[in-house]
Amino acid sequence: MLGSVGFLTTFPNPLQDNPAYSVVKQYFVNPDDTVTQKIVVHKTSARGTHFRRAGPRQRVYFQSDEVNAAIVTCGGLCPGLNTVVRELVCGLYDMYGVTSVVGIEGGYKGFYSKNTIPLTPKSVNDIHKRGGTILGTSRGGHDTAKIVDCLQDRGINQVYIIGGDGTQKGASVIYEEVRRRGLKCSVVGVPKTIDNDIAVIDKSFGFDTAVEEAQRAINAAHVEAESAENGIGVVKLMGRNSGFIAMYATLASRDVDCCLIPESPFYLEGKGGLLEFIERRLKDNGHMVIVVAEGAGQDLIAKSMNFVDTQDASGNKLLLDVGLWLSQKIKDHFKKKPNFPITLKYIDPTYMIRAVKSNASDNVYCTLLAHSALHGAMAGYTGFTVAPVNGRHAYIPFYRITEKQNKVVITDRMWARVLCSTNQPCFLSHEDVENMKHDDDHEHHLHNTQLLEGESSPLKNSPKCNGLAAAV
């Protein structure tokens, strides 16, 4: 079961002798501490879901000289990847005396197609100052049997997998195969997605940096629009299925007149449509800025182009360029109005945003994530991802974060704040809003209220794993 690893063969945590932590009043986490998934509950609600609190334990499962750790980065780029890698390496070395840490190059396929590279505090010392990932990354390439064969052949007993929801699903499958083979190997995930669409967790690393960097593009669009007659600036931001970057960047900027996200349908033509709103705003203000998430309006584009769905190597639906499409639709609309000339500038900063180094906030966050991850692995937990839940770092079973994606709730207060900030219409009928409220209420009543510490761990009964605790 998830809980105290006292029933395992354990050893004193070397942190107790680390002078850096000698002044901390209560450094070690109580094994029974939990973090609740929901803070605000109705008085008649059940206790709800709780996760094991992250942090160093007084007893550890792995001795420092027996650890062979591996780190891999998968999926698309995101600010903070190098920071997580750096802090995992330095944390293992400096806090636990682990000296055998390797990097897997090129994502999941690197386990069986490339050599590993040794990682030391010296080799990763300044990588947090760079964007991207020094390990390289890729989409797809997941072959569970080959990956676990690699772990087994190389004697790797801690593997840290950094990636988004697809990567975490892959990590879950790896954990299941490791468990099936009875290997003494801790499989740990660090959730990464610039879109902030991983469920349960407060936010993913790189998101703050992305919102901050998006301000540059929005500011440029505003300057261009304000400087021209009937100027329109269109900015496309990342957000495949979730419009968090577009929403927060809009609120932070205050120069945006319309924000379009995947969760909130819109239409172009007719009364109350987007084109009518653009025309009205230009008459009122003389210029406007539109922010659109990359996943917005995909149904409209597909219908207009008779497009057939295709997928990338990660299984994600390939998106059509809503920014170019929307820009052209706006131009076509105003061509029919020769007495209403416009000047439109389209800005797509996607790859600039995700390739930058992380800002100060994300650097601190990445450090906490990495430390929480390695504390859990050293204590003997496996099959979990680590992230803050309601402000406290917790160990979350893989399946909890892969059940569904985190999306903007357009019947919630935050989206209402965006609408108030931009003074745009919601483009939804009263019936649409009521249906969405009903769906939200239904999901709330179906919420799982099981206490995680009561769930069973198949790993503890494995004859070969020597009681490695599973975070399930």
Side-chain angles (χ1 to χ4, degrees), residues 11 60-67 96 98 157 184 378:
F11 311 92
V60 295
Y61 178 65
F62 289 100
Q63 288 187 292
S64 302
D65 57 1
E66 72 173 2
V67 173
Y96 287 101
V98 173
N157 51 18
K184 177 183 172 181
M378 289 300 297

Side-chain angles (χ1 to χ4, degrees), residues 325-344:
W325 175 83
L326 182 60
S327 298
Q328 190 59 51
K329 287 293 183 182
I330 295 171
K331 290 177 182 177
D332 291 344
H333 174 76
F334 283 97
K335 278 180 183 177
K336 301 171 188 175
K337 300 176 179 291
N339 296 325
F340 203 143
I342 66 165
T343 302
L344 188 148

Side-chain angles (χ1 to χ4, degrees), residues 145-425:
K146 287 183 178 180
I147 292 171
V148 179
D149 285 344
C150 171
L151 298 177
Q152 195 167 2
D153 293 343
R154 296 176 184 268
I156 293 171
N157 51 18
Q158 288 184 14
V159 57
Y160 298 92
I161 302 172
I162 309 167
D165 56 345
T167 299
Q168 300 303 309
K169 288 176 183 175
S172 179
V173 176
I174 292 171
Y175 156 67
E176 293 293 346
E177 179 62 16
V178 166
R179 185 197 65 170
R180 189 188 68 80
R181 297 190 191 186
L183 303 179
K184 177 183 172 181
C185 179
S186 184
V187 182
V188 181
V190 179
K192 170 235 71 172
T193 169
I194 203 169
D195 292 346
N196 197 38
D197 59 0
I198 293 181
V200 178
I201 71 176
D202 291 350
K203 67 177 178 179
S204 50
F205 73 81
F207 176 70
D208 280 355
T209 304
V211 171
E212 184 176 305
E213 195 67 18
Q215 301 302 294
R216 300 175 187 271
I218 293 174
N219 185 57
H222 183 248
V223 170
E224 288 283 353
E226 200 175 30
S227 302
E229 180 185 10
N230 295 322
I232 301 175
V234 178
V235 180
K236 186 183 78 171
L237 298 177
M238 297 188 75
R240 174 176 292 277
N241 298 306
S242 304
F244 287 103
I245 292 179
M247 180 173 73
Y248 276 82
T250 293
L251 273 177
S253 168
R254 301 291 173 174
D255 286 331
V256 178
D257 297 274
C258 186
C259 178
L260 304 173
I261 60 174
E263 296 88 341
S264 184
F266 66 93
Y267 56 98
L268 295 178
E269 309 285 350
K271 185 173 177 58
L274 178 61
L275 293 174
E276 181 188 76
F277 171 67
I278 292 172
E279 196 169 328
R280 188 170 68 249
R281 184 57 59 91
L282 287 176
K283 288 178 180 177
D284 292 342
N285 294 350
H287 67 277
M288 76 176 297
V289 174
I290 302 171
V291 167
V292 56
E294 61 181 331
Q298 290 297 311
D299 291 342
L300 289 177
I301 312 173
K303 285 179 183 177
S304 66
M305 300 178 64
N306 295 319
F307 183 75
V308 179
D309 287 352
T310 54
Q311 295 181 330
D312 64 16
S314 295
N316 298 314
K317 178 181 175 181
L318 286 175
L319 301 178
L320 296 163
D321 194 325
V322 65
L324 285 174
W325 175 83
L326 182 60
S327 298
Q328 190 59 51
K329 287 293 183 182
I330 295 171
K331 290 177 182 177
D332 291 344
H333 174 76
F334 283 97
K335 278 180 183 177
K336 301 171 188 175
K337 300 176 179 291
N339 296 325
F340 203 143
I342 66 165
T343 302
L344 188 148
K345 303 295 184 184
Y346 171 49
I347 299 175
D348 179 0
T350 297
Y351 295 107
M352 294 175 65
I353 287 176
R354 73 179 202 168
V356 300
K357 66 179 182 178
S358 54
N359 64 10
S361 172
D362 272 322
N363 263 335
V364 173
Y365 182 29
C366 289
T367 300
L368 300 180
L369 283 174
H371 288 184
S372 293
L374 62 90
H375 288 319
M378 289 300 297
Y381 293 122
T382 185
F384 69 90
T385 193
V386 62
V389 178
N390 294 318
R392 295 285 186 177
H393 283 240
Y395 297 141
I396 309 164
F398 285 131
Y399 75 90
R400 290 282 177 176
I401 65 165
T402 57
E403 289 174 323
K404 62 179 182 179
Q405 283 188 315
N406 188 29
K407 294 188 177 184
V408 173
V409 179
I410 63 171
T411 55
D412 203 2
R413 290 185 182 89
M414 188 58 78
W415 182 241
R417 293 183 183 111
V418 172
L419 299 182
C420 287
S421 170
T422 60
N423 288 316
Q424 70 185 73

Side-chain angles (χ1 to χ4, degrees), residues 399-472:
Y399 75 90
R400 290 282 177 176
I401 65 165
T402 57
E403 289 174 323
K404 62 179 182 179
Q405 283 188 315
N406 188 29
K407 294 188 177 184
V408 173
V409 179
I410 63 171
T411 55
D412 203 2
R413 290 185 182 89
M414 188 58 78
W415 182 241
R417 293 183 183 111
V418 172
L419 299 182
C420 287
S421 170
T422 60
N423 288 316
Q424 70 185 73
C426 69
F427 303 112
L428 292 173
S429 67
H430 176 73
E431 184 180 351
D432 290 332
V433 173
E434 288 303 313
N435 287 337
M436 288 178 180
K437 285 182 179 178
H438 174 74
D439 291 342
D440 292 341
D441 290 342
H442 181 63
E443 184 175 330
H444 172 76
H445 290 309
L446 291 180
H447 185 70
N448 189 333
T449 59
Q450 195 168 20
L451 183 62
L452 290 181
E453 66 183 55
E455 297 177 2
S456 63
S457 163
L459 254 182
K460 76 166 187 174
N461 298 318
S462 170
K464 295 181 181 179
C465 73
N466 195 23
L468 193 62
V472 295

